[in-house]
Amino acid sequence: MLDSAVAWMNARGNTEQWGTTPYSQKPGGAARVERYTTENAPYIAELDGLPVGALVLDSGPSPQMPIAPAEEPERYVRLLVTDRRYAGRGIGAALLAHAAEEAGRAGVGLLRVDCWAGGGGELVAFYERNGFIRTDRFLCDSWPGQVLARRVG
């Protein structure tokens, strides 16, 4: 799914968000996916038995990102990806709703995510449509990012 997401973005002219190298071929890419499935809370969306989306939750932002931890317990969306062949079916929104439910079940009132803030801001707008509000902007080298938060529970 991650490799096809890179190809999809590149086909739309977006080479800045995740670059042009397939995710599986990026240095550390496979190891990161392994950590997501062993150290974090991964969730897979299925449609007719096929994986069509993935969400990874953690207790805070990646230490590699210039994002301060929240001043309260939080759940942090470390990864959200959907199979672009199923775009427009609400898979990403369903996974985010599940993340909010998981945070609520854990007694955590804050769900945060960071995303690429470049291009026309479509990704930031997607999170806003799903109940998140913009908080902090940041730069990771020259990569523009936006942190968004959603109250749950």
Side-chain angles (χ1 to χ4, degrees):
M1 247 184 278
L2 293 169
D3 284 352
S4 65
V6 171
W8 177 79
M9 286 184 245
N10 289 178
R12 297 179 66 221
N14 176 351
T15 59
E16 297 173 47
Q17 184 176 348
W18 284 3
T20 57
T21 303
Y23 200 88
S24 63
Q25 295 176 20
K26 289 182 181 191
R32 178 177 292 154
V33 170
E34 183 175 338
R35 280 194 314 276
Y36 283 160
T37 60
T38 59
E39 297 175 14
N40 300 112
Y43 301 93
I44 305 296
E46 293 183 355
L47 184 63
D48 298 326
L50 297 173
V52 295
L55 168 86
V56 174
L57 286 178
D58 202 347
S59 59
S62 169
Q64 286 77 38
M65 298 298 278
I67 301 167
E71 295 180 3
E72 65 183 275
E74 68 177 315
R75 289 297 177 265
Y76 205 95
V77 176
R78 285 282 190 95
L79 173 73
L80 176 65
V81 63
T82 61
D83 186 323
R84 301 315 305 162
R85 294 175 295 180
Y86 299 92
R89 296 191 188 188
I91 296 163
L95 284 165
L96 289 173
H98 182 74
E101 291 169 8
E102 288 296 319
R105 273 194 280 276
V108 173
L110 179 64
L111 179 64
R112 291 197 309 159
V113 64
D114 64 78
C115 70
W116 184 61
E122 297 94 354
L123 190 52
V124 172
F126 164 77
Y127 286 108
E128 289 175 323
R129 287 191 305 275
N130 284 279
F132 288 81
I133 59 168
R134 297 176 196 209
T135 58
D136 303 312
R137 287 188 58 94
F138 65 93
L139 278 176
C140 189
D141 297 319
S142 62
W143 191 89
Q146 177 69 55
V147 178
L148 298 102
R150 176 179 171 185
R151 287 279 163 204
V152 297

